[in-house]
Amino acid sequence: MAGRGTAGRGERGADAASAGKEPRTARGRRTLRAILDAAAAEFGEKGFHEGSISGITRRAGVALGSFYTYFDSKDDVFRALVRDMSEQVREHVAPAIKDAPDQIGAEQAALLAFIRFARTHKEIYRIIDEAEFVDPESFRLHYATTAERIARRLRAAADRGELRDDVGEIHAWAIMGMNVFLGLRYSVWDEGTPPEAIAETVAAMLANGIVARD
């Protein structure tokens, strides 16, 4: 499971190691990537407290010493994993919104990409949720940076005249919160609804609201 989805991702996560332990070779970066992917599988299946370093190294197919080449502790690899998963979401969503015709279309594309991502990375929900208690700073940073990316998109669209002038942080957090729970409902709990239909419904709501019209 450690190698799932790594093809084509390059060497993302190469800066995730503990301070002073960053890999200096391509082989080292691949090993670090394997450890991060294995940690996602281990913590996603067992949780932080039941997950273990030995379980991570077994999944990654590396020696126990290789773990300590890059990380000081289980806490460190968990903290790095939260950052890495946040970056994975960003990298998955960014290309999807690049060619959107307008901002509503961009938010529709972003949600569609996120739901598809969450369906193949269900462990992200358990890991991010546990971060609230294991590493509150990483938990808060994950959501704060995600909301800020959305806020920047909204403000840019407002500057282009596509959205209301007063769009801002509250709107960004509302959209993010909606996306997070839609991902939980339609990716983790049940995959029966086509993601395209979900994204289309939300885009219509963003564009038109839910007030009855004549």
Side-chain angles (χ1 to χ4, degrees):
M1 187 171 181
R4 175 174 53 78
T6 58
R9 291 202 321 225
E11 293 174 343
R12 177 187 44 73
D15 60 348
S18 298
K21 294 190 172 186
E22 297 83 1
R24 299 181 180 180
T25 66
R27 181 179 180 181
R29 290 187 285 273
R30 288 193 296 271
T31 300
L32 175 57
R33 181 70 260 160
I35 291 172
L36 286 170
D37 289 341
E42 178 77 0
F43 294 137
E45 179 182 321
K46 298 181 179 179
F48 175 78
H49 295 291
E50 294 299 323
S52 66
I53 292 173
S54 60
I56 292 170
T57 56
R58 282 196 299 272
R59 292 175 189 266
V62 302
L64 187 62
S66 295
F67 177 90
Y68 290 104
T69 299
Y70 303 106
F71 296 104
D72 293 331
S73 65
K74 186 170 76 166
D75 290 74
D76 277 355
V77 73
F78 184 85
R79 186 177 302 113
L81 180 61
V82 173
R83 294 195 304 270
D84 182 69
M85 299 200 87
S86 185
E87 184 66 12
Q88 285 190 54
V89 173
R90 186 195 69 79
E91 289 185 356
H92 197 79
V93 168
I97 65 178
K98 185 177 179 181
D99 297 323
D102 52 36
Q103 196 55 42
I104 297 299
E107 298 310 320
Q108 179 177 344
L111 176 57
L112 177 59
F114 175 68
I115 290 175
R116 288 173 171 168
F117 176 85
R119 287 187 176 187
T120 58
H121 298 78
K122 299 179 192 296
E123 68 276 7
I124 191 173
Y125 275 90
R126 181 169 190 175
I127 290 167
I128 297 299
D129 285 351
E130 282 202 300
E132 181 180 7
F133 307 100
V134 176
D135 188 37
E137 182 179 354
S138 294
F139 175 80
R140 180 171 180 172
L141 185 63
H142 167 73
Y143 285 116
T145 54
T146 300
E148 177 54 30
R149 286 195 295 268
I150 296 173
R152 286 197 300 268
R153 297 200 303 258
L154 299 181
R155 288 194 292 266
D159 290 342
R160 296 193 302 267
E162 293 182 29
L163 301 178
R164 290 171 13 188
D165 290 339
D166 64 347
V167 72
E169 182 182 69
I170 293 174
H171 300 90
W173 279 85
I175 290 172
M176 179 184 67
M178 179 171 57
N179 292 353
V180 167
F181 279 96
L182 286 168
L184 179 64
R185 169 64 178 83
Y186 294 106
S187 295
V188 178
W189 291 353
D190 177 55
E191 296 185 16
T193 305
E196 295 82 3
I198 301 165
E200 288 172 6
T201 298
V202 171
M205 183 173 69
L206 290 175
N208 304 312
I210 58 173
V211 175
R213 300 179 183 277
D214 295 334

